[in-house]
Amino acid sequence: MLCPHCESPMEEDTLFCPNCGHRVVRDHTPKKRYGWWWLMPLFIFLLIAGTLTGCMLYEQSKTAAAIASFQKGETLAKKGDYQEAYQAFEQATKKRRNFAEANLDKTVVTLGLSIQKDFDQVDAFNKKKDYAKALTTLDESEQKLKGYKGDIVNNLKEAISNKRVNTMVQKLRLEMKSKKTIDELSSILEQAKALDVPEAHQIADEILKQIVELAYTKASNLLQQNQFSEALQAVTDGLNYDKNNKKLLDLQDTIKNAQDSFESAQEERIQQAMAAAEKERQHNKNDAVQLVSAKAKLNEYGDLVVSGKVKSDATVPITMIKVAYTLTDQDGKKFKSNEVYATPDTVNPGEEAQFEYTHMAVNKDLKLKVTGFTWYVDN
């Protein structure tokens, strides 16, 4: 320190100046000291605030990353990419261990991977036509999801349902090929209608066609034997499944007309037809019916469908046109002769009528030859 009188240097604790002897009066009042220590609380506050902010931002970034991984996993899972979805959910749970939704979805996609393996088994069973095991496997797959909910679970359930419908369609398609009666086809038809998918609708349509053909064939055979009531019942059996089927309705009219003719004036109608044929011999007796076309073709079930058209060259309406034909094999050996009524029942001059008959389970190509026609002339 310096002497306040002569400004000579003095020791800190000296009371008199060694140079001038001046007594130094000390001010013992505490002096304010200024330095950087007063900034320490501010530094500490800023340090704590910065640390907390950093930790918060870090945690927020971890949470955001975990949510992003979770959302990615959900998107992948909805697309059926369960393996990639599992990896995304795994990353989410690593970033946030208590991420309950991610843990749950990780379990669900694990089930999804298991169910995809089940689908591979189902495909293998379907390929072997072992549909019972395929359906059992799908039931077991559905049980795995019991107690779980959510969009991913709903997607898995929908995939199982689609797989089950596909299996049922294949099963029905196989079964329908082996059924040959209306009663047998009826149960398959009900199952097909219960499956609300286009493939099942197609099967239902095919079954209806088979039922109509069976009813038509049975009624036609009974009609040829003059068993009119039984023939009408056979047509009714078919109409119970397809009430507006024109082919059956036309046959029904033919049977009723034939029944009326047979019961009331069979001989008279024959005589009238013969008289009319004699009167207009060139047209109404010999050339009243002309063949337009005729063919015999196998369908996918091995049935031989005979069909064709005839035309009336008569001068008056004619009814109950019956077409006679013979089927022979490739060697010319006779397979069968048959007669079938053409529809509609009444044909006006110049109009055409169609005929069709299905020979069930023939399973080979045959040659068709139309051998003649019979008909009645309307009054």
Side-chain angles (χ1 to χ4, degrees):
M1 60 176 289
L2 299 177
C3 174
H5 187 264
C6 64
E7 296 185 352
S8 297
M10 292 180 61
E11 295 292 336
E12 183 73 25
D13 296 331
T14 305
L15 296 176
F16 296 93
C17 175
N19 183 42
C20 67
H22 187 80
R23 187 174 185 269
V24 179
V25 179
R26 297 182 180 278
D27 185 3
H28 293 283
T29 302
K31 295 182 179 179
K32 293 182 180 179
R33 297 188 179 189
Y34 298 94
W36 64 270
W37 293 105
W38 70 273
L39 296 173
M40 283 297 292
L42 178 60
F43 291 153
I44 293 172
F45 171 77
L46 292 175
L47 179 62
I48 294 173
T51 301
L52 291 175
T53 301
C55 290
M56 182 180 67
L57 292 175
Y58 174 70
E59 291 300 318
Q60 286 180 344
S61 67
K62 284 180 63 178
T63 299
I67 292 174
S69 295
F70 173 75
Q71 292 174 340
K72 178 183 178 182
E74 284 201 320
T75 300
L76 290 168
K78 289 176 182 178
K79 294 179 180 179
D81 297 334
Y82 299 118
Q83 187 64 52
E84 295 295 328
Y86 180 88
Q87 298 299 328
F89 290 136
E90 180 73 9
Q91 291 177 8
T93 55
K94 285 181 179 178
K95 293 165 185 172
R96 275 284 170 258
R97 294 187 180 277
N98 296 324
F99 202 154
E101 291 86 352
N103 282 315
L104 176 60
D105 282 353
K106 187 165 67 172
T107 301
V108 172
V109 296
T110 301
L111 293 174
L113 289 169
S114 174
I115 289 172
Q116 282 184 332
K117 292 181 180 179
D118 292 345
F119 286 171
D120 292 337
Q121 284 188 326
V122 169
D123 291 339
F125 287 137
N126 285 343
K127 190 173 182 180
K128 297 177 182 178
K129 295 182 173 54
D130 194 347
Y131 302 116
K133 287 185 179 179
L135 293 171
T136 299
T137 301
L138 290 172
D139 289 341
E140 293 170 353
S141 297
E142 197 166 40
Q143 283 298 313
K144 293 177 182 178
L145 299 175
K146 191 173 182 180
Y148 292 96
K149 296 181 180 180
D151 291 339
I152 301 174
V153 174
N154 291 337
N155 289 345
L156 284 168
K157 288 182 177 179
E158 183 178 358
I160 292 171
S161 177
N162 291 338
K163 207 74 172 176
R164 181 180 286 111
V165 169
N166 178 265
T167 299
M168 288 295 297
V169 167
Q170 293 184 54
K171 179 174 178 286
L172 292 177
R173 190 171 292 281
L174 177 67
E175 290 179 349
M176 67 178 287
K177 292 182 179 180
S178 62
K179 307 304 181 185
K180 297 300 179 184
T181 68
I182 293 178
D183 289 340
E184 289 175 336
L185 289 170
S186 175
S187 63
I188 301 177
L189 178 62
E190 293 304 316
Q191 295 178 58
K193 287 182 177 179
L195 299 175
D196 191 16
V197 294
E199 294 87 350
H201 295 164
Q202 182 180 355
I203 290 177
D205 290 341
E206 292 176 9
I207 293 174
L208 278 177
K209 289 179 181 177
Q210 280 189 268
I211 288 175
V212 168
E213 290 303 326
L214 287 170
Y216 187 90
T217 300
K218 182 178 180 180
S220 296
N221 291 336
L222 291 168
L223 177 58
Q224 291 186 34
Q225 300 169 23
N226 293 329
Q227 298 181 27
F228 303 111
S229 297
E230 293 83 352
L232 287 171
Q233 184 59 53
V235 170
T236 301
D237 291 342
L239 291 173
N240 286 336
Y241 296 92
D242 190 359
K243 64 180 180 180
N244 296 320
N245 186 272
K246 187 176 184 303
K247 183 176 180 178
L248 290 178
L249 290 172
D250 286 342
L251 180 60
Q252 187 178 58
D253 291 339
T254 299
I255 295 171
K256 289 179 178 178
N257 287 334
Q259 184 177 23
D260 290 341
S261 299
F262 185 84
E263 292 176 351
S264 62
Q266 183 180 26
E267 289 300 324
E268 182 181 350
R269 286 180 62 87
I270 293 174
Q271 292 299 322
Q272 289 177 353
M274 292 176 62
E278 183 62 28
K279 183 178 179 180
E280 298 184 6
R281 187 162 49 93
Q282 294 298 322
H283 294 285
N284 297 347
K285 180 179 179 181
N286 298 326
D287 301 310
V289 177
Q290 298 294 327
L291 181 65
V292 176
S293 63
K295 62 180 180 179
K297 185 177 180 181
L298 280 174
N299 64 18
E300 60 180 321
Y301 306 109
D303 305 326
L304 186 70
V305 180
V306 173
S307 61
K309 294 181 180 180
V310 293
K311 180 180 180 180
S312 171
D313 285 337
T315 58
V316 295
I318 58 175
T319 61
M320 298 176 62
I321 299 175
K322 187 189 297 184
V323 181
Y325 61 91
T326 300
L327 296 171
T328 58
D329 60 19
Q330 300 302 320
D331 297 326
K333 184 178 179 181
K334 180 179 176 181
F335 176 79
K336 188 172 185 178
S337 293
N338 192 33
E339 292 179 339
V340 61
Y341 282 93
T343 58
D345 180 66
T346 299
V347 183
N348 293 320
E351 291 183 347
E352 292 183 351
Q354 298 180 346
F355 62 92
E356 183 176 315
Y357 189 91
T358 301
H359 296 271
M360 309 299 288
V362 174
N363 295 314
K364 62 180 179 180
D365 288 317
L366 296 173
K367 293 181 179 179
L368 170 66
K369 181 179 179 181
V370 176
T371 57
F373 312 97
T374 61
W375 64 93
Y376 291 101
V377 178
D378 237 1
N379 290 330

